[in-house]
Each structure stands twice: as C-alpha cells, then as structure tokens.
Amino acid sequence: MLKTLVTGQLSLSMTFWVWGVCGGLLIGLIGLAGVYTGYVAFLPLTFLMKTVLFGGVLSGITFILRRKITVLGTLAFFIILIQLIMSVVMVIGLSSALFK
C-alpha cells in the first residue's frame, strides 16, 4: 500500500485526504495522547513519523501532477509541502527532548 502511495498510483483525493489529512491527524492525536500521559519524549517521534508520512504523500502528489497538472493538485502539493517543512522544523526543535 505504501508503494502505491509513494509512486502516485492512488487518486489525488485518496492521497491527500486519507493519507495526508487523516494520517497526519491520527499521528498528531497519538503524539498528543503521549503528552497527556506523561511520555513527552514520544512527541518528537510522532513528528518524525509525520515527516516520513508527508514525504510519501508529497512524492505521491508529485507523481500525480506529472501526469496531469490541476489547480486542486497544485494546492494539495503546497499544503503538504508546508506540512512537511513544519514537521522537519518541529523534529529539529523537539530533538532536545529525546537526548535529554
């Protein structure tokens, strides 16, 4: 399933909404649950998982846009790109919690 995501064989809506939005939300909720239960070091790991997920989604959207460029595809590309950049920044910023 991950190979079809990364290579852009899924539809744009499946790639963006299911994997990008719902997957990112699910991983974010797992990180939030870690914070509320006292496992603060789990938060940087969830941002690392988000970075990997958003990288795969961005790759899939890029392959989809290679076949046909659409306005919604371009918008999805930039939204996921911003999410990927924010995840990388958060991993770097929160890495001190891992190595404390």
Side-chain angles (χ1 to χ4, degrees), residues 8 10-12 15 59-69:
L10 298 173
S11 66
L12 178 64
T15 303
S59 172
I61 291 175
T62 303
F63 279 109
I64 292 170
L65 288 177
R66 281 184 166 183
R67 287 189 302 246
K68 183 178 179 185
I69 296 176

Side-chain angles (χ1 to χ4, degrees), residues 16-96:
F16 179 75
W17 287 107
V18 174
W19 285 95
V21 175
C22 293
L25 183 65
L26 182 66
I27 293 173
L29 288 175
I30 292 169
L32 195 59
V35 169
Y36 282 126
T37 57
Y39 297 106
V40 181
F42 196 63
L43 189 63
L45 294 175
T46 58
F47 277 106
L48 186 62
M49 290 189 311
K50 272 187 173 182
T51 303
V52 171
L53 175 69
F54 289 142
V57 171
L58 190 67
S59 172
I61 291 175
T62 303
F63 279 109
I64 292 170
L65 288 177
R66 281 184 166 183
R67 287 189 302 246
K68 183 178 179 185
I69 296 176
T70 60
V71 174
L72 291 176
T74 307
L75 183 64
F77 177 83
F78 284 115
I79 289 171
I80 295 297
L81 181 64
I82 290 169
Q83 287 292 324
L84 179 66
I85 292 169
M86 288 176 20
S87 293
V88 168
V89 168
M90 290 301 288
V91 166
I92 292 170
L94 292 173
S95 63
S96 63

